[in-house]
Amino acid sequence: MDALTAALKVAASGMGVQSERLRVVSENLANAQSTGTAPGSDPYRRKTISFVSRLDQATGGSLVEVNSIARDPADFPVEFQPGNEAADEKGYVKMPNVNVLIEMADMTEANRSYEANLQVIKQARDLISMTIDLMRNQS
């Protein structure tokens, strides 16, 4: 397998995991204020994603895959909201352990990584196209 095809495969694997990472971050942001529905019940628990690198035997390249999607074990912050349906007997509500600033930074990083992999694919495609054009002109 040639180096350009290997580069395409590696970049595609990077785009795939970053797309999944963006999905997880979006879900966290969408549930950043999702409290429980009963007094004292747990709210939405932030999801985390981890990746693993594996050697692709066909290309010799290192591909990245989603290793796991897990729940963040961090404690839930509490807020005083006595009118909330999830408030305990003292008026405190467990809030999701989602920090919007961290999620936004994660989203930015995932987006930039996705775009960098997209540029690799565009460059490889252009090089393949140029190679085909050179081969046509030599015939």
Side-chain angles (χ1 to χ4, degrees):
M1 188 168 287
D2 66 278
L4 291 176
T5 305
L8 285 169
K9 198 167 185 179
V10 169
S13 78
M15 287 177 67
V17 297
Q18 294 306 329
S19 178
E20 185 68 14
R21 183 179 177 193
L22 285 167
R23 187 193 64 74
V24 168
V25 168
S26 296
E27 188 174 326
N28 287 341
L29 286 170
N31 289 291
Q33 296 298 316
S34 297
T35 61
T37 56
S41 63
D42 286 346
Y44 174 82
R45 186 172 289 277
R46 177 181 182 256
K47 290 184 178 179
T48 59
I49 187 168
S50 64
F51 308 118
V52 65
S53 178
R54 102 175 145 76
L55 180 66
D56 181 47
Q57 297 296 329
T59 63
S62 187
L63 304 180
V64 64
E65 299 174 339
V66 172
N67 184 41
S68 68
I69 297 176
R71 301 284 180 170
D72 185 347
D75 292 335
F76 297 118
V78 293
E79 289 183 9
F80 185 67
Q81 295 181 5
N84 191 312
E85 65 182 6
D88 62 14
E89 64 281 349
K90 295 178 183 174
Y92 287 95
V93 177
K94 292 181 189 176
M95 300 302 290
N97 59 350
V98 175
N99 183 325
V100 175
L101 292 176
I102 290 173
E103 299 302 324
M104 294 300 289
D106 227 16
M107 182 181 288
T108 300
E109 184 180 324
N111 190 42
R112 287 182 181 160
S113 181
Y114 185 93
E115 288 175 359
N117 283 303
L118 184 60
Q119 288 303 317
V120 168
I121 288 175
K122 287 179 181 178
Q123 290 294 322
R125 187 187 64 205
D126 290 347
L127 288 171
I128 290 169
S129 180
M130 287 172 28
T131 303
I132 291 170
D133 287 345
L134 285 172
M135 292 171 74
R136 278 189 198 141
N137 293 336
Q138 288 187 0
S139 321

